[in-house]
Amino acid sequence: MMPEDEDRSSDIEDISTQFKKESQSQSLKKTAFIKERSTLLNEASHHQERKSSNQTDETNAIMDILQPTSSSDINRGENKGKNILFTKTIPTDARTVPEPETFPISSLETTEMSIDLLANEKIEKVSPQVSENSEEKLVSDSDLFTVNLEAHGLQEFPKDILKVKYVKYLILSKNQIRSFQGADTADLLGLEILSLQENGLTSFPSEIQLLHNLRILNVSHNQISHIPKEISELGNITQLLLNNNCIKSFPFSGLENLKKLENLNLGKNNLGHIDTLPSLKSLRVLNLEYNQLIIFPKVLCFLPNLLSLNLTGNLIGSLPKEIRELKCLEKLTLDHNKLTFLAVEMFQLFNIKELRLADNILEAISYKIENFRELRVLILDNNLLKDIPEKITNCRMLEYLSLSDNQLTELPKNIQKLRNLRKLHVNRNNMMKITDMISHLSNIRSLEFSGNTILYVPIEIKNCRKITKVGLDYNKIVYFPVGLCALESLYYLSFNGNFISEIPVDISFSKQLLHFELNGNKLLIFSEHLCSLIHLNHLDLGKNLIKTIPPSVSNMVSLRVLILSCNKFETFPTELCALEYLQMLDISENQLQKIPSEIRNLKRIQKLNVSSNQFMYFPVNICQLQSLEELYISQINGRKLTRLPEDLTNMTQLKLLDISYNAIKEIPGNIGKLRNLVSFNAVNNHISYLPLSFLSLKALQQLNLKGNNLTDLPSGIYHLSSLKEINFDDNPLLRPPMEICKGKQLYTITHYLQKADERDDKILEKILKIVANSINETSYEFLRHKLNLASSETSVSTSKSPVPLKERAYQTFIRWKTENSLSLTAAGLRDQLIRTLKMIGAYDIMDKITALTLYSRAIKF
């Protein structure tokens, strides 16, 4: 499956190379200042050669250590970095809104990039020690004007740091600095870039007003609720980052004095309305995303040079007619609002190049959309659109059109006129066919029609020679579209959830294919034609009817991920063991009874899922996989395992172990050898205790033992200091009681256990004294024999008289307690002693112990 937001920026870089040159050239004609700014930031972003002027050289120094990222970039990065999960599919009704992409739109590319210049920087750390010996290290020849003290635990302003000559760029992000107290104000005057992101600020440090040369100020991700009027002193400021704070009112006093302000980020605050706004003639980029705006502020329409406006994630229901005044606007983002229609005046924004309206309540788009002759990106996902006007085909510059999650039954007529279209996404609509006119989209790279009712793909698609990605999941396709096999650039192909029963021989010609998904079809065999795909990296054939694997699978030398879950395998196909470069194998939900020894040939396997099979016992041959990092053997739909082998610990690289939904009674006593284990899932088993070695799993972060038979937890559980997620629900816990564990906080549990240990130790001490004072010689000898105790030797007094029985007995019990304290808790020793007293018939002593136990429940020792 192909999520709409996957790898967007890499595609776009290829899509808009020509347009980038044209639009940048056009922007550079605007003003000399914009020219200098765009060049400067572009150099920083792409690490190109430095310019000769001193100003550019200085700024490049800071740009080299700052990594500008927007919130959408972060989200994309997270999605990109996720590991592939086993047989994970997305239902047809899953509604997703693509994340914003970065398109090179004239000066907008560089100016908007700079708005988050310091918002999420990845900065090389330096020593927090500010001494004469370290000054040269802080300011190197290549980084002459920069001091970077990000995340150094500072609580006070490093006053000595500015004694370093020529400090202009000061990075103090992720500390706890509240003011500049103690700093020499003369040393502050040269600062041009200052980052105080994530310092827990509730207000601006008053000293900021002295920074007259400041050009970039980042105070994002704090708790600032008010902007002081003193900010008006920052007359040279060009970028002001105030996002992720608690600001409720805007504009703030003194804003009109910020004549050079280009980028203003007020996203993710608490703004409810904006009634007035000074004329900020230099403002190019304004971000007001995720506030509480109900009405589109009309005053925004009179920012004469605004290029980019972001109002994502508000509650705006309509657009004012004054929006037509935004003559220079190139990018408008209104995703996640409440728009039911678009004001006709909006279509007078003739310079608009990127328009994002996903996740609104739009039922129609005006034919006047044809006025957007410069439009490159149009996102209309997750609305109520039933058709798209044919006039959209007059937007000849359109490169990316996304119409997913609407109610469309067909594409706009004459869509072939969109000759520049590179990405067309129409997922989860009511499309019954793909028009053969699509063959005229000669520049199309990405085509997605998942979640419709399409029956076939026209053969003419073979003319779309530049296609690299095709997503046709969850349609009604019966025959594999052979036209796709002629596409020499196609590397990603997804047909999950269709009715395909046979792979044509033509697929053999798609040797460039890297990623192929056919999950949830009607395949009866693993086709030999697939084995010709020698460059294939990812193959998903889960939820089919496959029983065997052909020997020629060994030709698939590039295969790294293979998914064969939910098929008809009764024996493990040994042919798979020839895939020596395989890293992930999912063969869960089959009918396997054992794993062959040949599996040891999978020398590079890292993830293995054999869950929900019919193993008679734990497949011990798996334990030969010393490269394995993740093992899933959950048996929610399979035959339950009753024990784990000691050989399990041979897999020393194991980081994740899932043995949930089995009938395992105990964890191997040598489990502590799995030093790299990070996640342990044993939900719904019969485990009654944790072995002592379990406390050696220092890397463990996730522990789930829900639904077992645990009655007590080991006191040493505090040794698992890396634990972040714990779950002991649905266990008959007594120590600690279940109400202590419900909060799933390790500190609470360990605190209780420590107190309980102290209490149990005191009770045991009293019990030992009761027994020693009450026992007779005969019972004492019986007790010593049953507990395997030697008699005490410390019994001779100065008068050579014999030591009394109670003293000898007490000393013997103390020695017994000391010798067994490492293997048994005080409560365990108490229970063992009581059981032994019962065996020897010492009922009078038992009555006294019972009385003490009842009494101890009512008091605190």
Side-chain angles (χ1 to χ4, degrees), residues 648-681:
L648 185 71
T649 58
N650 292 342
M651 297 182 286
T652 55
Q653 299 304 311
L654 207 61
K655 295 179 180 178
L656 183 150
L657 178 59
D658 184 352
I659 58 168
S660 57
Y661 295 96
N662 280 285
I664 294 168
K665 296 180 180 179
E666 61 181 21
I667 298 171
N670 63 348
I671 188 77
K673 292 182 179 179
L674 297 178
R675 303 291 186 185
N676 294 304
L677 197 65
V678 173
S679 177
F680 182 58
N681 184 359

Side-chain angles (χ1 to χ4, degrees), residues 811-823:
Q811 292 175 354
T812 300
F813 295 150
I814 291 298
R815 190 172 68 254
W816 167 72
K817 173 187 171 185
T818 303
E819 291 173 352
N820 291 276
S821 60
L822 293 178
S823 57

